[in-house]
Amino acid sequence: MAEHAEALRRALAAPQVVVPDAESDHAYVRHADGITYVCPWQTRLRCLLAYSRMLSAPGALLPGTVPASDEDQTMAALAQLEDGETTARLHILASVWAMPLTWFVPFSAAERWLALGADRDRPSAAATASVTRSLVYTTAMSRARRRVARGLAAVRSAPARYEDAAWKPLRAEAELAQVGRWLEEFHPYSLVELDYGGLVYLLSDDALCGDQSVAEISAAIEGVAKGECELAVAMYKRAHSRWRAFAEFELAN
């Protein structure tokens, strides 16, 4: 919630702060089993990369999004990223409106943590974690890497008939391989977390409780590995249909 409040302050500022001048000093911190885990926010880097994606999307960026006084500085920072002068190693991957299905692969259904919140309204920035509405999966890095490796082996061995059943193994392989490469950049004893973020406010309590995307994708991969095509496609389609509906919000007025 603290990061959300900070982003809201930048959005409401006049002029709007699209890319912060300096990198954030904040981080997510978790204490578990005597170990402290730290995940930097990297707000400036993430905003720069998001701005770069907007620039590369034809017609998606209106003139004047970045104040004229900040334009030169922002473009210079982007040039440094493209030239490799600045590290672009991200600790946080983010997706707008929908969750890429490959992001569910590193987790198991038993690693799910759901909180519906003390009330049904959106909590304020001062709300405590105990009353925050959230859906999170957390796992050890070693388990995440093994599951991704197993998923890659499964989709690489998928027969051609999957191409005619709404599942695109080649695309899934490329996206899952990208997840695997990202996981390899971190310490082997790290934790990996999947957080639904603000998406939980688009779902009713029943829908949140019934969302079993991780279990469905896990069953789909298991089906591919065992040659059970109908099971694999059915589980994939369930998850795909759910998240396609979310993705359509991006185009809503």
Side-chain angles (χ1 to χ4, degrees):
M1 292 305 299
E3 187 180 16
H4 170 76
E6 181 180 295
L8 188 60
R9 284 193 294 270
R10 292 199 309 272
L12 295 177
Q16 188 180 73
V17 181
V18 178
V19 178
D21 292 334
E23 188 55 273
S24 172
D25 292 328
H26 297 292
Y28 292 108
V29 179
R30 178 192 292 268
H31 303 285
D33 300 324
I35 301 175
T36 300
Y37 300 90
V38 180
C39 179
W41 281 8
Q42 297 178 296
T43 305
R44 176 174 167 78
L45 176 58
R46 290 160 60 200
C47 287
L48 276 172
L49 293 174
Y51 185 60
S52 177
R53 289 193 294 270
M54 291 174 68
L55 286 174
S56 63
L61 183 65
L62 297 176
T65 301
V66 173
S69 58
D70 297 336
E71 184 75 25
D72 292 343
Q73 181 181 353
T74 299
M75 297 309 296
L78 282 175
Q80 290 180 338
L81 280 178
E82 294 171 357
D83 294 341
E85 297 179 25
T86 304
T87 178
R89 180 189 178 191
L90 279 172
H91 287 72
I92 300 174
L93 301 182
S95 177
V96 180
W97 291 115
M99 201 82 72
L101 298 186
T102 50
W103 288 11
F104 296 116
V105 176
F107 306 92
S108 75
E111 293 162 344
R112 181 175 186 260
W113 184 84
L114 171 65
L116 298 177
D119 54 37
R120 299 303 177 255
D121 298 324
R122 186 171 184 140
S124 67
T128 62
S130 62
V131 298
T132 299
R133 186 179 181 86
S134 61
L135 177 54
V136 177
Y137 288 86
T138 305
T139 193
M141 179 62 73
S142 57
R143 288 195 291 266
R145 289 175 178 173
R146 283 198 301 270
R147 289 164 184 157
V148 169
R150 186 171 183 274
L152 273 172
V155 297
R156 284 169 178 165
S157 65
R161 65 177 181 272
Y162 282 96
E163 292 288 350
D164 300 323
W167 188 336
K168 307 298 180 185
L170 289 179
R171 178 178 176 180
E173 178 184 344
E175 293 176 352
L176 194 52
Q178 185 176 18
V179 172
R181 288 192 295 270
W182 179 70
L183 293 176
E184 289 295 332
E185 295 180 358
F186 299 97
H187 193 283
Y189 294 155
S190 301
L191 293 179
V192 187
E193 185 173 282
L194 177 67
D195 190 338
Y196 275 46
L199 292 175
V200 296
Y201 299 107
L202 299 177
L203 290 167
S204 67
D205 290 355
D206 290 342
L208 270 182
C209 293
D211 184 315
Q212 295 293 336
S213 298
V214 166
E216 290 162 357
I217 294 301
S218 178
I221 290 176
E222 186 75 16
V224 173
K226 293 182 176 179
E228 299 173 353
C229 180
E230 292 184 1
L231 171 64
V233 170
M235 291 294 99
Y236 173 82
K237 283 186 174 180
R238 282 181 57 177
H240 181 266
S241 297
R242 179 185 304 112
W243 289 101
R244 182 177 59 186
F246 271 101
E248 291 173 354
F249 280 111
E250 187 172 3
L251 302 178
N253 189 333

